Amino acid sequence: MSNDAMGTAEAVIPITTLAERWLALDRDDATRKEISDLLEAKDQDALESRLGTRISFGTAGLRASMKAGFAHMNSLTVLQASHGLADYLLATETAPAEGKPHSIVLGYDARHNSQRFARLAAAAFLCKGIKVLWFGQLVHTPMVPFAIRHYGATAGVMVTASHNPKQDNGYKVYWSSGSQIIPPHDAGIAKAIEAVGEIETWDESVVDGHENVERIFAEATRAYLGALRELVWPLPSVEQVIPITYTPLHGVGLPFLRQIAHDMWFRGSNLRVVASQAQPDPDFPTVPFPNPEEAGALNEAIKDAEKNGISIVIANDPDADRFKAAERQPGGAWLHISGNEMGILLASHVFDTYTGNRSRMTMLATTVSSRMLSAMAAAEDFHFEETLTGFKWLGNVGQRLQAEGKEVVFAFEEAIGYMFPSVVWDKDGVAAAAVFLSAMQRWRKQGLTAKGKLEKLYEKYGYFADANTYLVSPSPAVTGKVFERIRTLDHGSSPQSVGSRTVERWRDLTLGSDSGTADGKPTLPVDASAQMLTCELEDVVFTCRGSGTEPKIKLYIEAKGRSRVEAAELAKDVLADLMREWFPGEFGLKAAGT
């Protein structure tokens, strides 16, 4: 039994002792009963899974299913995280000028327990003397990083699990920069959480009338919408507008999307909202999985669009930090625009409408995203930067470049996330929707659809296609063994070929090696706790990494060819080679969809 919070490998604490400790700390009747019932039933396995390890605090904060126990999201673990965050902040951050208190922006979405968890977090911050900038009603995730910078707050917390299943919730932490935390803050906060003892207050009502609470929803929303208007200025005229169908997938995006869409003349019959998915519903009753990337997630929206003769469907995930679109083709089929395709479409629009100094212009993408943005940057002579996966890196690296004199105008990741730094230094699904709608008006004037614009971009910068997928791993230990085997495939050293293709560059961000640099060391950060390998072949680049939040090995494969078909075939060929050579059946890995 591993116990980072409750004990060590040298002094293992009996599970009944951990259960008693839980009951001594927890004041939530529902979760106390869960542990009491398991104790009475002597269900050792269930107690071990719930209490034997603490929910990990990483660069995205906390995320897990909602149950009793140190390993899950519940009132006690949220309070412990909040006390730890407050203690770390007070110990490491310089106090604001003029004797003012530190402040934390606090938001929540419509998931089960989100409001309660946010109110408990507020109570913890207030008892530590920290001012709470309180939305007090449902917001989409980008409102928190926006408000941090708008109000000059020290940090921010958003209670959400984004597009995870309905049983999950999360606790997402941002720093004063308005970007998600990166090392060393994540490790420092985790250590502070482990040191938390008794919880000082469980009274969530203190947020309602406390002198150190400032309600910010109305003013922050006005400022946010103002930033969106500047992002898409000049606004299209009513004559340019084409009707669209929108779904927030039972999430919180509709009020924000509707307001900016109204300003862009998407009103009345020009903006149809999928009625069955319009209102926030934490049970997500019409979709098996509330992620617009998943197959079938847009079915309701497409049905509504076809019924009303509409050719464009747009969607946000439940906390509206991601964006997805689909376009009906002349034959009636729907093109589901991938994250990489949308990334290059939005980048091209940003480039075409940019009026600043192009010698400073900068765009970013993560290492698992399309290299097409890099090709565009080389052709158009603007700066491109590659980062590690996740918007914590896109945001923080982008701000470093900004401080060095660059002007960061756009960043994206293939998992349908898009960042517009003039609004937030994080992904924003509402901002992405607004930019896409603005771009559609421009392309329409040029006689182009989204697909037609994509084809023009492929003709100019090269044809790129991906074959991304994932494998479900039985355990983290198995994942480690798989990557250990890969690193020794060629007589004890890393592979020199994949199928018939020679490995031209090998980068290992776990062990810290890179055959493509002069000193053999990667330019990107190395993390021994995370598995990530990247290979460059003659015509294909791919990355294999272990997921930090799911029991998966993710594969990102992209090829460049003389045509779309050729590029797709190249990517599929390498995927087949990898499945045969790198991931044999003996490890019990399951391919996506099996």
Side-chain angles (χ1 to χ4, degrees), residues 245-248 272-279 300-302 304-305 314:
T245 292
Y246 170 68
T247 175
R272 286 198 56 82
V273 179
V274 180
S276 62
Q277 299 174 334
Q279 298 306 312
E300 291 283 310
I302 287 173
D304 184 277
I314 63 172

Side-chain angles (χ1 to χ4, degrees), residues 324-403:
K324 178 75 174 178
E327 180 183 67
R328 192 176 189 181
Q329 303 305 301
W334 284 85
L335 169 67
H336 290 255
I337 302 171
S338 72
N340 280 329
E341 290 169 336
M342 181 59 71
I344 203 67
L345 282 171
L346 295 177
S348 72
H349 174 72
V350 171
F351 176 79
D352 290 342
T353 57
Y354 180 71
T355 58
N357 182 351
R358 285 190 174 171
S359 67
R360 297 177 57 229
M361 183 181 183
T362 301
M363 299 192 198
L364 302 88
T366 63
T367 188
V368 299
S369 302
S370 177
R371 301 294 175 99
M372 191 170 176
L373 183 55
S374 176
M376 177 191 284
E380 304 294 357
D381 198 27
F382 65 84
H383 184 71
F384 169 79
E385 192 95 4
E386 177 190 29
T387 75
L388 290 180
T389 55
F391 276 83
K392 58 183 176 286
W393 294 108
L394 289 170
N396 282 281
V397 171
Q399 292 197 52
R400 173 180 59 77
L401 291 169
Q402 193 96 340

Side-chain angles (χ1 to χ4, degrees), residues 512-590:
S513 63
D514 189 342
S515 66
T517 60
D519 60 1
K521 297 179 181 179
T523 56
L524 293 178
V526 173
D527 184 354
S529 68
Q531 300 285 358
M532 182 176 286
L533 301 172
T534 298
C535 280
E536 293 184 6
L537 312 178
E538 180 183 357
D539 42 21
V540 180
V541 178
F542 67 86
T543 292
C544 303
R545 74 179 184 94
S547 171
T549 58
E550 303 168 289
K552 293 177 179 178
I553 296 173
K554 295 188 174 183
L555 309 181
Y556 306 85
I557 305 166
E558 183 179 57
K560 182 179 180 181
R562 291 167 295 186
S563 69
R564 181 76 167 159
V565 172
E566 181 185 70
E569 287 301 318
L570 289 171
K572 288 178 184 177
D573 285 349
V574 170
L575 173 59
D577 290 336
L578 287 173
M579 295 300 293
R580 181 178 62 255
E581 298 174 10
W582 285 27
F583 305 106
E586 65 201 63
F587 286 103
L589 303 173
K590 294 183 179 180

